[in-house]
Amino acid sequence: MAEILYADDDELAREMVHQVLEAAGHTVRAVTDGARALEEVRRGPPELVLLDYRMGEPDGFAVCGMIKDDPALGHLPVLILTGEGKIDSRLRGFQAGADDYIAKPVDSRELVAKVA
């Protein structure tokens, strides 16, 4: 299965997503913020990046944009997890290069399906 990098400042969300994805057979590297996510992606690119939108600076949109703007990393698929339901927030994510969105609270079935 896939190696996934997941960045979220919410400990409970990190634990839940980590457990769901590992139960589905994936390997998950979880970090607490955008700066660590960028470090991890550059240290060893995963097959998929999951980013919480609101996790301090840089936020998930900024991290997504930095990944997509990097010629060595721009091919990585990025999913944004967010509690923001407004179309403007979703559009900002797509403008940053996000490949898809997952709404919080996360439904484990949707998460596993989109990751697959």
Side-chain angles (χ1 to χ4, degrees):
M1 301 302 283
E3 181 182 4
I4 300 166
L5 176 66
Y6 174 44
D8 195 327
D9 61 344
D10 182 311
E11 183 177 353
L12 291 175
R14 262 194 334 273
E15 288 177 16
M16 189 279 292
V17 168
H18 191 269
Q19 289 174 0
V20 167
L21 293 176
E22 284 202 336
H26 302 288
T27 301
V28 180
R29 290 187 281 161
V31 296
T32 59
D33 58 52
R36 285 202 170 111
L38 287 169
E39 288 173 15
E40 284 293 311
V41 167
R42 290 176 178 142
R43 182 181 65 80
E47 295 171 75
L48 173 70
V49 180
L50 291 176
L51 299 169
D52 180 42
Y53 160 46
R54 293 188 188 265
M55 60 177 168
E57 292 297 324
D59 67 15
F61 293 155
V63 173
C64 179
M66 287 182 242
I67 290 170
K68 293 298 187 171
D69 287 344
D70 186 323
L73 303 172
H75 67 283
L76 294 174
V78 177
L79 299 180
I80 303 282
L81 280 74
T82 184
E84 294 286 324
K86 297 179 183 174
I87 188 66
D88 291 342
S89 294
R90 291 195 304 266
L91 290 175
R92 279 189 57 215
F94 288 126
Q95 289 167 348
D99 295 286
D100 206 349
Y101 255 91
I102 299 176
K104 285 184 173 182
V106 175
D107 181 289
S108 60
R109 297 166 299 172
E110 179 185 16
L111 176 63
V112 170
K114 286 194 176 194
V115 166

